[in-house]
Each structure stands twice: as structure tokens, then as C-alpha cells.
Amino acid sequence: MVSYKSAQTQEPARRRTKGDLRRRQALADAAAGVSPGEADVLAEAAKVERFRCVIYLCGAPPTDITRPGRECREYAEAFGWEITDVIEERAGLLPPRGRAGLWRAVERVQEGAAGAVLTACRSMISSVPQEYDEVAREIEKAGGFLHVKDSARRGLTRAAGHPA
């Protein structure tokens, strides 16, 4: 026998409690093959931002820094780093303290806008070891690091007997 109940006699829809919602989510996760607790990890991982860096390039006025800039961008992209800023400076042989662009890059790390300063070669920071170390320490104090793109590659090619 078929029952003909009118819409007025049906039970009103009830609101789901937080417990009901959690159980429904657990069932949906299980159906999707997600183990208990893994959903929380996946949700947290979705919130993780990409590592950010600022590229710093420096050269004398007639020097073309287009190629080192392109190489730094490609390097950052290869590691999945987000480039927050590219600072190009034509300061020549000025010491690091005399270069406003370099300190703007350091400030980006201090502000938390970037986690690293990426440069094409060590001499773009300073060819004087003490000056280079001073800049690296400033960046490290801010919680970041200074990364020189070619330092490892050049060292390897020279060690292997190839011209740099």
C-alpha cells in the first residue's frame, strides 16, 4: 500500500550538529581514501606559501646584467621560489654600505617579504671577504640567507679541470 502524506505532515529538516558534520566529513574522507588525521595535514599543507626571494644584481655602468638576471630568475623558478623583487644596481666598485639597492634587498628580508637574497655571483655583493660576510650576517640576523647562484658550479668546474 502506498502512503500519500502531504508535505505538511512531514518532519521538518533538522540542523546538523557539529558532531554530525564531523561524522559526515569522516565518512567522505574514508570514501575518498583519506586516512583519519590526514585530512588535517592536507588542509595545513594547502596553506603553506612558496619560499620567497629577492634577486639582487649589481654591475658597473657599462656592464650588461641581463643574462645574470635571467639565470637568477630561472634558478629561482627551478626551485619553486617566488621572486618578490628584482633589484638592479649600477654601483660599480662601491663597498656594500654605499649601495642603496643592496640594503633595499636586505630590508626585504628584514620585513619578512623574502627569505633570501639571490645574486648571480659573489662579486655582486663584494669581492672583499669581510664585506661579503658582513652582508651575509645582516641577512642571517633577519632570519634569511644570502645565496650566490654560481658559487657551487664554478667551484665544481674548476675542480674538474674545466674553465669557468
Side-chain angles (χ1 to χ4, degrees):
M1 180 167 178
V2 177
S3 172
Y4 294 99
K5 289 186 179 180
S6 71
Q8 297 163 344
T9 61
Q10 288 182 352
E11 215 175 286
R14 65 180 183 99
R15 292 189 68 128
R16 291 189 173 92
T17 66
K18 288 184 181 181
D20 291 338
L21 293 173
R22 277 195 304 271
R23 280 190 294 283
R24 291 175 64 84
Q25 185 63 53
L27 287 170
D29 289 345
V34 177
S35 62
E38 187 179 1
D40 296 333
V41 172
L42 294 174
E44 192 62 33
K47 296 177 191 174
V48 175
E49 295 179 2
R50 288 176 48 192
F51 182 79
R52 297 179 310 251
C53 72
V54 58
I55 295 175
Y56 175 75
L57 304 165
C58 182
T63 307
D64 182 17
I65 56 176
T66 306
R67 183 172 160 218
R70 185 180 64 248
E71 289 174 355
C72 283
R73 284 182 193 86
E74 290 170 358
Y75 187 88
E77 289 169 5
F79 283 98
W81 294 356
E82 178 182 336
I83 300 166
T84 61
D85 207 354
V86 177
I87 299 172
E88 295 182 2
E89 193 162 45
R90 304 294 182 169
L93 298 175
L94 284 176
R97 286 283 173 202
R99 292 189 258 147
L102 177 57
W103 295 103
R104 271 199 331 270
V106 172
E107 285 172 359
R108 300 290 288 159
V109 176
Q110 291 170 335
E111 298 164 352
V117 175
L118 172 61
T119 191
C121 57
R122 189 177 174 109
S123 63
M124 287 190 174
I125 302 300
S126 179
S127 57
V128 178
Q130 294 84 359
E131 292 176 347
Y132 176 89
D133 291 343
E134 178 187 351
V135 173
R137 271 193 305 275
E138 283 293 321
I139 295 169
E140 288 169 5
K141 274 195 257 179
F145 63 92
L146 173 59
H147 187 76
V148 179
K149 186 192 84 54
D150 330 348
S151 62
R153 186 179 58 141
R154 285 197 176 164
L156 291 174
T157 55
R158 284 192 187 125
H162 300 294

